Amino acid sequence: SVVEAMGQGRLCSENLKKSIMYTLCSKIPQVMPTFAELLGVPTALTVTQVLLIDIGTDIWTAIAYAFQPAEASLMSQKPRHPLRERMVDWTVLMYSYFYIGMIQMAACWFVFFNMPHILDLMHKQASLYTFEETKWNYAGMAAYYWTLVLGQLGAAMVTTTTRTSLFSYGLPNKWLNVCFVMEVLLAAAVIYTGPCQRLFKTEPLTAVQALMGCSGLMAILLVEEIRKACTRWGDNRRDAKAALLLLQES
């Protein structure tokens, strides 16, 4: 029917927008370590680790959004204006770069600077590191990478809905769930297997350090649930006012 066709069109547009929002979230925490090195901060993320996140993690998850089911409120929203409401507008960039991206970056730096001896490496050239100092830096890079991967996991979860709580919506996209599992397994392999450690310059994390890496994931889930609750409250209040005006006019 026409209504079903409109629903599919809206769903395709919505899922594409969600995929773009998710993909952009990791860009700020990916690029900031490069600028931080100019200020004497030890290397937090290498080029190979950035490529590993982009190619081995983000791209497959972004594709999996094509199978995302619609939210219950999809057809109740007003249509997107094709000229005034672009697919990627300032709200998308603000959400990805200066909201979720900033939470990810804060969590990554928090975990990185809480790794042992990282502060001892400040303003010291990597070429002058001793063998032990190199291992300290590799452990810090592993912590930053692990925290960012989990932060992207949180970003993928929260961008599946714009208003609906994850507690009611759940995780119905099985392909996205497969990507979640593969992301964590890949990150664990990079950090805890010998060949990957040598290739990607990482050191194994302790259980406590690995749990610290969950800080970004948990923070993103928490603040997004609060934001969505406030959005639903505002929508319900607006609908109630509109219904009251209709009753008064009739």
Side-chain angles (χ1 to χ4, degrees):
S1 68
V2 175
V3 175
E4 291 177 346
M6 290 176 60
Q8 285 300 312
R10 284 194 177 192
L11 178 60
C12 291
S13 176
E14 190 75 6
N15 285 347
L16 178 57
K17 185 174 182 179
K18 291 175 180 178
S19 177
I20 294 171
M21 291 169 67
Y22 159 76
T23 305
L24 294 178
C25 285
S26 64
K27 303 315 170 193
I28 293 294
Q30 282 180 352
V31 74
M32 286 309 297
T34 301
F35 293 104
E37 287 186 49
L38 301 176
L39 302 176
V41 177
T43 303
L45 201 66
T46 65
V47 174
T48 53
Q49 290 168 355
V50 170
L51 291 175
L52 183 63
I53 293 172
D54 287 339
I55 300 174
T57 299
D58 287 356
I59 188 170
W60 307 110
T61 304
I63 293 172
Y65 276 85
F67 303 95
Q68 194 67 29
E71 295 182 60
S73 61
L74 180 64
M75 292 303 292
S76 64
Q77 301 172 29
K78 67 177 183 179
R80 181 176 65 89
H81 195 286
L83 297 179
R84 284 180 288 190
E85 298 179 69
R86 301 291 184 179
M87 181 68 68
V88 179
D89 57 10
W90 69 271
T91 60
V92 172
L93 298 180
M94 289 292 292
Y95 180 92
S96 298
Y97 287 150
F98 301 107
Y99 175 41
I100 300 298
M102 287 298 178
I103 296 175
Q104 288 182 348
M105 184 183 69
C108 288
W109 284 125
F110 169 76
V111 176
F112 179 77
F113 282 116
N114 275 281
M115 292 295 290
H117 307 291
I118 283 295
L119 294 178
D120 298 335
L121 303 178
M122 291 289 293
H123 304 290
K124 188 172 185 179
Q125 293 184 11
S127 58
L128 302 178
Y129 288 173
T130 64
F131 176 76
E132 194 67 23
E133 288 173 336
T134 300
K135 293 185 67 175
W136 295 344
N137 190 205
Y138 285 5
M141 287 191 285
Y144 194 102
Y145 166 77
W146 173 250
T147 306
L148 181 51
V149 169
L150 293 183
Q152 275 298 85
L153 186 67
M157 289 181 181
V158 299
T159 51
T160 56
T161 66
T162 55
R163 292 172 173 79
T164 310
S165 170
L166 278 180
F167 293 105
S168 58
Y169 182 79
L171 298 173
N173 187 345
K174 65 178 181 180
W175 294 111
L176 194 60
N177 296 338
V178 169
C179 289
F180 292 162
V181 175
M182 296 305 295
E183 285 177 23
V184 175
L185 291 178
L186 177 61
V190 168
I191 294 172
Y192 293 106
T193 61
C196 289
Q197 289 174 358
R198 292 187 291 272
L199 180 62
F200 295 106
K201 298 182 179 180
T202 60
E203 283 288 316
L205 303 176
T206 66
V208 173
Q209 291 165 353
L211 286 175
M212 283 177 59
C214 298
S215 57
L217 166 65
M218 300 307 296
I220 290 170
L221 293 176
L222 176 61
V223 297
E224 268 294 273
E225 282 298 314
I226 295 173
R227 182 194 67 81
K228 291 172 184 177
C230 292
T231 300
R232 292 193 302 273
W233 177 79
D235 290 345
N236 294 335
R237 186 177 180 183
R238 185 177 61 251
D239 293 342
K241 285 184 176 180
L244 182 60
L245 286 175
L246 288 174
L247 288 174
Q248 290 176 346
E249 291 176 357
S250 61

